[in-house]
Amino acid sequence: MTTTEEAPPRVEHREADDPQGWQFNSSLVLTMVLLLVVAVQGPIRRALSAPVMQSWMTVFVAVIVQALPFLVLGVLLSAIIAVFVPPAFFARALPRRPALAVPVAGMAGVVLPGCECASVPVAGALVRRGVTPAAALAFLLSAPAINPIVLTATAVAFPRNPEMVLARFTASLLVACMMGWLWQRLGRTDWLRPPAHPSSDGLSKGAAFWGSVRHDVMHAGGFLVVGAMGAATLKAVVPASWLHAAADNPVVSILALAILAVLLSICSEADAFVVASLSQFSLTARLAFLVVGPMIDLKLFAMQTATFGRGFALRFAPATFALAVLMSVLVGAVLL
């Protein structure tokens, strides 16, 4: 008879079984980090003390501090509306005739605060509950542009130009209504994909509320930081001669700020503070920034694609951009 020798059991070394080794590794990493900080603190201090960085930090902090209270208030009110106001309320409140429902839905943005991040899912819920798409799209465009939080922030950002509030309200409402009527006239049902149910379905009111707050804070807050960095960079890094050259040409200045609004994708509760710092541009050019941004930017295009389909976004976004720029020019010529 032959016997087989059993292999000795393998001993797995874990960090928990070797606390001294784990502490040694942690101490080594911490020591290396501290040495790195000490080594680079001189260059970092010299870089931050440069006049360009001083100017950059001043503009960045000023934009963030001014915009943050309005952003927080807008996010809280948006979450309350999205969670506690049933979508059926809007369906009952709107006229049955689409031609009349469009301006009523557009004006509803005046009393329903919310950023553009919240307007897309709300518009999707309206369509899902039977509201005519033309009215839902008018609300989608107007709510983040003419609500009281945004208009108040605009008044604070432009204390010497109170006419900017009226100009923003008028141009934004006109664009929202005209895009609603345009969709009613030319839109086709196969261009608009029925929106899916939101992820908050089945959650309690409290869970849905805080989920909406977290979502909007992460998205809107992140884009606010990016927008503040962009404004600070334009003020501090881009040569003043370039900015003045663009600002001196009326057509170039309007198109430049309209395109900048699309690229920066700033939350509507904070965009006025960002564009107010670009004082070398005309009021009409800055109005184009304020009208275009809440209606079409990179994040909105992505959200509209996810909610209503790619075919819708590819048609709706360029038309909205062109009409927003046109209305900004016309309203600016009259009011500014």
Side-chain angles (χ1 to χ4, degrees), residues 9-10 33 35 37 40 43 68 82 89 149 182 184 186 194 205 228 275:
R10 296 179 60 185
V33 170
L35 290 175
V37 171
V40 301
L68 195 57
F89 167 80
I149 303 299
L182 186 64
Q184 179 193 353
L186 303 177
K205 294 291 187 181
V275 77

Side-chain angles (χ1 to χ4, degrees), residues 26-44:
S26 300
S27 300
L28 180 61
V29 172
L30 181 59
T31 302
M32 294 178 63
V33 170
L34 291 176
L35 290 175
L36 180 62
V37 171
V38 172
V40 301
Q41 67 172 344
I44 292 177

Side-chain angles (χ1 to χ4, degrees), residues 50-239:
V52 172
M53 286 304 301
Q54 295 270 334
S55 175
W56 190 94
M57 288 297 296
T58 299
V59 176
F60 175 78
V61 173
V63 171
I64 293 292
V65 170
Q66 283 184 307
L68 195 57
F70 294 95
L71 179 63
V72 172
L73 181 58
V75 165
L76 291 176
L77 292 176
S78 174
I80 292 173
I81 292 169
V83 174
F84 296 103
V85 178
F89 167 80
F90 301 103
R92 292 193 301 267
L94 293 175
R96 293 185 178 182
R97 293 183 59 184
L100 297 178
V102 166
V104 173
M107 285 297 298
V110 177
V111 295
L112 297 174
C115 69
E116 56 269 32
C117 298
S119 66
V120 176
V122 172
L126 294 177
V127 175
R128 193 167 58 248
R129 296 296 178 91
V131 174
T132 177
L137 296 178
F139 175 83
L140 182 150
L141 296 178
S142 70
I146 65 173
N147 71 69
I149 303 299
V150 169
L151 296 180
T152 302
T154 305
V156 174
F158 292 90
R160 298 181 180 179
N161 304 105
E163 64 273 16
M164 282 293 288
V165 178
L166 178 60
R168 181 175 195 176
F169 173 85
T170 304
S172 299
L173 182 59
L174 287 174
V175 174
C177 292
M178 293 179 69
M179 283 302 300
W181 286 323
L182 186 64
W183 181 266
Q184 179 193 353
R185 181 73 175 177
L186 303 177
R188 290 166 45 182
T189 55
D190 58 328
W191 292 348
L192 187 67
R193 185 184 67 194
H197 289 276
S199 58
S200 61
D201 283 358
L203 297 179
S204 65
K205 294 291 187 181
F209 173 80
W210 289 114
S212 178
V213 169
R214 286 193 299 269
H215 175 273
D216 287 351
V217 166
M218 292 298 295
H219 282 72
F223 286 111
L224 169 60
V225 172
V226 173
M229 293 173 64
T233 302
L234 285 174
K235 291 285 288 186
V237 177
V238 177

Side-chain angles (χ1 to χ4, degrees), residues 293-309:
M295 296 188 174
I296 178 60
D297 57 30
L298 294 181
K299 69 176 185 298
L300 274 175
F301 181 81
M303 294 179 68
Q304 291 172 6
T305 301
T307 303
F308 298 111

